[in-house]
Amino acid sequence: MLKFVNNRWFPVVNLGAAATAALLWYGTAGRWGWPLLLLVLLPWLLRLAAGQLPFRRSRFDGWLVLFGGTAVLATFTAYNFAQAVGKFWVLVGALAVYWAIVSLPRRDLYLLAGATGPLGVLLAFYFVMTNNWRQWPADLGVLNRLGEAWLGIRPFLPFLPSVHPNALGGMIALLLPFTLAFAVFAWRSQQFRWVQGTAACLVIMAGGLLFTSAVGAWLALALGLSCWLFWRVSQRVSQQNPARQKPLFAVLLLLVLLPAGYLLSTAWLRADELARWNLARQTFFLIQDFALTGSGLATFPALYAEYVRVVPNYYVAYSNLYMDVWLELGFLGFVALLGLLAGSFWQLLRHAWASRHAPVGVAQVTVVQGEQRHCLEETPLWLRQIGLFQWAAFVSLLVLCLQGLTDDAFFGAQATPLLFFAPAVVVVVTRQQRQAVAPVAGHWRRGAIGLVATAVFLLVFFLGFRQTVLAQWHANLGALSLARVELVGWPTNRWNTGGNLGRYEPAVAQFEQALALNPANRTAHHRLGLLAMLAQDYDTAVAHLQAAHAVTPEFRGLVKSLGYSYVWQGAYEPGAALLATIPEAKVEMTVYTSWWQEQARPDLASHATNMVAILENK
C-alpha cells in the first residue's frame, strides 16, 4: 500500500478524482451528492491506510475549515434546503480540488498548468454553444450581432444549462495565465508540439473571453499580465543596475494605469460602474438583515428580488464575490475569504521580494559564470522555470480578487469548483524545496491564539452592546423564518395576495421581541411593515416603514414599499415623492389598476389610477 501511495503519479490521480467529482457536482447542480464524495475520499483513505495524512496540509487550512464550516451552517439557514445543499456540494468540490492541488509535488506543476488550456477551451466552447445573446446581450454591438447570427445556425442543446457570460469569462480569465505560462515553459523545454497545441488553446480562450463581454475579467487580466510583462522588461533593462528595476517597474505600470483610468471614466463604463456600485450597496442592506447568521446558501437572487426590487420574479443572479459570501455565509465566512486571499498575496510577495526565497535562475548571481552554468545544468528545468508559474498564480489571483469587486464568477449562483484554484497554486509555487510537509504546528498554535482573542473580543462586544445584539439576533431569526415561508416556490411571478397570514406568526413574534429590546431595529420594522401590507393594514405598514426608513433612507426596497403604502393609504404627495425614484413604479401602478379590481378592492384600484396620472406628470 505504501509503495502504491508513494507512486510518482498518485497525486495526479488524486487530482483527477477530485476534479471529476467537482465537475460532476457542478454539472448536476450538486444533485449527485454523497456518491461522488466517495470518489474524493478514496485517495484519502488509501493514504490513511498507508499511515499518511489524507492530504498535504497547508498554511491556509484554517481559513478553509472556517469557510467550509460556515457553508455547512448556511445549508440550514437557507429558505430552500434542496438548493442550498446543491450549492454546498459544489463548494465541497472546490475544497477537494484545493487539497488535491496542494498535494501535488512542485515537479508536476507544469502538468496542472498544461491542463488549464483544454479546460479553458472547453469553457469557451460551452459558452458559444449555450449562451443566449438575446437574454444576456454583449456590451459591444458587433459582438451582439455576431452572437445573434450564431444563434440562428447553431444546434439547439436543451440539456445544457446556460451559465452567465460574466461567470464563464471570469473562469477563462482565471485559467489563461497558467496556459500562457505553460506555453512559455514548453518553448523553453523545446517541446514544440506542446507549444502549437497551447497556442491554439490560447487563441480559443482569448476569443471566448472576448465574446463573453466580461469587462471586469478583461481589465483584471490586462492589469495582471501588464504587471508580469513590465516586471520582466524592467528586469532585463536593469541587469547592470538592479537597483533601478523597482522604480522602472513602477513607471511602466503607471503608464498602463493612466489609460485604464481614462477608460473607466468613459460614459459607457461609468454607467456600468454606477449600477454595480448600487447593486453592492443594496446588498449590504440585506447583509444587515442577516448579520449574525447569514441568509444561507443560494438565497441571494430571491432575497434581492423580494426585499430590494420588491418584485415576485427573478431579477439578478449575484452582486459581487465579497458581498455574496458575506450575505450567504455571514461575517465569519467573509473573514475566511479575506484571510485566504490576503494570505495568498502575502505568500507571493514575501517569496518574490525576499532574496533568500527568489526562484532559481532569478536570484542575484554571486558566482562566476562557469559555476552558474554548471549549477543551472544540474537544476531540473521545472525548478528553473518555477518563476513562470509564480507569476501566473499572481495574475490569476489578481483576476479572482479584482473581478470579484464587480462580478461573482466563482461563488454566485451555484458557485464553481475553481473558487480556490488560485490560492491552491500559490501554496505549491511558494513551497520551499526542502519542505516535505508544511510546518503546521506553529500555524495551528497561532490560529488557536487568534481564535481565543476573537472570542474574547466578541464577548466584550456582546457585553457592551447586549441589548442591540440581542435585538438583532431576534430580528435575524425572524428574517430567516419569514423567508422560509414567504419564498416557498419562488419565483412565483405573481404578487402575494396575503392568504393564510397565520403562517407568519413565528416571524412576527421574533420581530416584536427585537423591537422590545431595541425600538429602532430597522430589520424588524421593515419586515413588520411588509407583513402589514399583506394584511392590507396600511396605517400600521406606514408606521413601521417610516421608522425603518428613518434609519436607512437609501434602502431601495424600503423606499418602494413605503411609497406604495402611502398610495394605498391615499397619501399621494409623499407617495409620489418616493416613487419618483423608482423607475418601474408607473408601469406597476398601471397593472395594479386592474389587479385591485380582481381582488375586489375598487378603492385601491382608484388610488392606483390616480397615482399613474401623477407619475406621468413627474
Side-chain angles (χ1 to χ4, degrees):
M1 182 65 70
L2 183 61
K3 183 179 179 181
F4 177 72
V5 169
N6 289 334
N7 185 275
R8 162 79 169 81
W9 297 105
F10 185 82
V12 178
V13 173
N14 178 25
L15 177 57
T20 300
L23 183 61
L24 290 174
W25 272 322
Y26 181 68
T28 62
R31 287 189 295 271
W32 297 356
W34 293 104
L36 290 176
L37 184 61
L38 297 177
L39 186 60
V40 173
L41 294 180
L42 181 59
W44 294 18
L45 295 174
L46 292 175
R47 284 197 179 102
L48 287 173
Q52 298 181 4
L53 293 173
F55 55 84
R56 191 164 187 166
R57 293 182 178 178
S58 72
R59 62 183 70 247
F60 301 144
D61 288 350
W63 294 123
L64 291 169
V65 169
L66 178 60
F67 189 95
T70 58
V72 171
L73 295 177
T75 61
F76 297 100
T77 55
Y79 74 89
N80 188 321
F81 182 74
Q83 287 185 2
V85 168
K87 184 169 183 175
F88 171 76
W89 284 118
V90 177
L91 292 175
V92 170
L95 291 169
V97 168
Y98 172 90
W99 276 306
I101 290 175
V102 300
S103 297
L104 285 174
R106 288 196 300 171
R107 67 170 180 267
D108 292 333
L109 189 59
Y110 76 97
L111 296 175
L112 177 65
T116 60
L119 180 56
V121 169
L122 177 64
L123 292 173
F125 275 116
Y126 190 92
F127 169 73
V128 298
M129 295 304 294
T130 61
N131 187 60
N132 186 340
W133 276 268
R134 298 187 184 97
Q135 179 185 5
W136 289 317
D139 291 330
L140 299 178
V142 61
L143 297 180
N144 214 35
R145 289 191 293 272
L146 289 173
E148 291 187 359
W150 169 243
L151 275 178
I153 61 175
R154 82 176 184 200
F156 179 59
L157 303 173
F159 54 89
L160 292 178
S162 59
V163 180
H164 197 283
N166 287 344
L168 284 170
M171 288 188 276
I172 294 173
L174 183 87
L175 297 173
L176 196 144
F178 294 104
T179 309
L180 179 60
F182 180 76
V184 177
F185 174 83
W187 177 268
R188 293 176 179 175
S189 306
Q190 298 184 352
Q191 299 289 341
F192 297 115
R193 289 186 178 179
W194 290 2
V195 173
Q196 292 171 356
T198 308
C201 290
L202 283 170
V203 171
I204 296 172
M205 291 169 70
L209 180 58
L210 177 66
F211 268 87
T212 62
S213 192
V215 179
W218 295 353
L219 295 177
L221 182 62
L223 178 60
L225 293 178
S226 298
C227 291
W228 189 353
L229 174 64
F230 293 154
W231 181 262
R232 295 295 298 168
V233 170
S234 63
Q235 191 178 54
R236 287 290 182 90
V237 173
S238 307
Q239 282 182 341
Q240 302 300 323
N241 186 1
R244 294 166 45 193
Q245 182 182 355
K246 294 174 185 177
L248 180 59
F249 171 73
V251 171
L252 291 173
L253 190 60
L254 185 62
L255 291 177
V256 76
L257 289 178
L258 289 176
Y262 172 77
L263 180 64
L264 291 174
S265 66
T266 59
W268 170 51
L269 284 183
R270 281 176 62 187
D272 188 60
E273 290 167 8
L274 183 61
R276 294 179 187 278
W277 161 248
N278 188 56
L279 180 64
R281 185 176 64 162
Q282 298 299 323
T283 303
F284 183 69
F285 297 140
L286 281 179
I287 290 171
Q288 295 172 357
D289 293 336
F290 303 94
L292 301 180
T293 64
S295 63
L297 289 173
T299 56
F300 173 82
L303 293 177
Y304 195 88
E306 191 73 22
Y307 300 118
V308 177
R309 301 295 301 188
V310 197
V311 292
N313 52 274
Y314 181 89
Y315 179 76
V316 68
Y318 52 76
S319 174
N320 66 49
L321 172 64
Y322 307 99
M323 289 293 166
D324 289 347
V325 170
W326 195 350
L327 173 65
E328 295 192 359
L329 300 187
F331 183 69
L332 291 180
F334 176 67
V335 169
L337 177 68
L338 291 185
L340 177 66
L341 297 179
S344 299
F345 273 116
W346 170 247
Q347 282 298 106
L348 282 172
L349 292 175
R350 188 180 70 168
H351 197 90
W353 291 93
S355 59
R356 62 189 177 91
H357 288 159
V360 175
V362 177
Q364 292 182 353
V365 179
T366 57
V367 294
V368 298
Q369 187 69 21
E371 292 176 344
Q372 182 190 15
R373 185 181 299 110
H374 177 71
C375 176
L376 291 178
E377 287 174 354
E378 291 184 348
T379 304
L381 179 64
W382 63 264
L383 184 56
R384 276 183 274 154
Q385 305 301 330
I386 198 72
L388 276 175
F389 303 115
Q390 290 170 357
W391 268 110
F394 172 80
V395 177
S396 183
L397 193 63
L398 201 64
V399 169
L400 175 65
C401 295
L402 293 185
Q403 197 210 14
L405 292 171
T406 58
D407 285 308
D408 190 358
F410 304 99
F411 183 84
Q414 68 176 41
T416 73
L418 295 177
L419 178 59
F420 306 119
F421 184 88
V425 179
V426 169
V427 172
V428 179
V429 298
T430 58
R431 184 182 295 149
Q432 296 305 299
Q433 188 172 1
R434 294 187 178 89
Q435 187 179 320
V437 178
V440 297
H443 300 310
W444 284 110
R445 191 181 305 114
R446 287 193 293 271
I449 294 173
L451 187 63
V452 171
T454 302
V456 171
F457 171 79
L458 292 176
L459 179 61
V460 171
F461 181 83
F462 174 76
L463 294 177
F465 301 92
R466 183 173 178 274
Q467 290 285 104
T468 303
V469 173
L470 285 177
Q472 189 56 42
W473 171 253
H474 288 292
N476 194 152
L477 294 180
L480 291 174
S481 176
L482 180 60
R484 291 192 189 100
V485 176
E486 196 168 29
L487 299 178
V488 172
W490 186 91
T492 62
N493 297 317
R494 60 180 184 270
W495 285 315
N496 193 340
T497 58
N500 190 15
L501 295 175
R503 57 185 175 154
Y504 302 119
E505 286 304 320
V508 171
Q510 293 285 359
F511 295 137
E512 290 177 345
Q513 197 163 358
L515 291 180
L517 291 166
N518 179 14
N521 186 276
R522 192 263 299 164
T523 301
H525 277 301
H526 182 196
R527 297 305 195 277
L528 287 174
L530 295 179
L531 291 173
M533 289 181 71
L534 284 178
Q536 299 182 17
D537 181 1
Y538 297 110
D539 291 338
T540 301
V542 166
H544 281 299
L545 293 174
Q546 280 179 336
H549 186 257
V551 177
T552 315
E554 302 88 2
F555 192 177
R556 187 187 194 279
L558 266 173
V559 170
K560 185 174 180 179
S561 297
L562 181 56
Y564 274 51
S565 296
Y566 278 137
V567 173
W568 310 141
Q569 204 181 37
Y572 297 143
E573 186 175 345
L578 293 176
L579 295 181
T581 64
I582 307 297
E584 71 274 13
K586 187 174 72 171
V587 174
E588 289 186 2
M589 278 293 170
T590 304
V591 177
Y592 267 121
T593 302
S594 58
W595 190 82
W596 280 124
Q597 293 286 359
E598 295 173 2
Q599 305 301 315
R601 290 298 305 266
D603 55 330
L604 298 182
S606 176
H607 289 324
T609 302
N610 295 336
M611 183 51 59
V612 170
I614 293 173
L615 291 176
E616 284 179 344
N617 296 323
K618 280 287 184 179

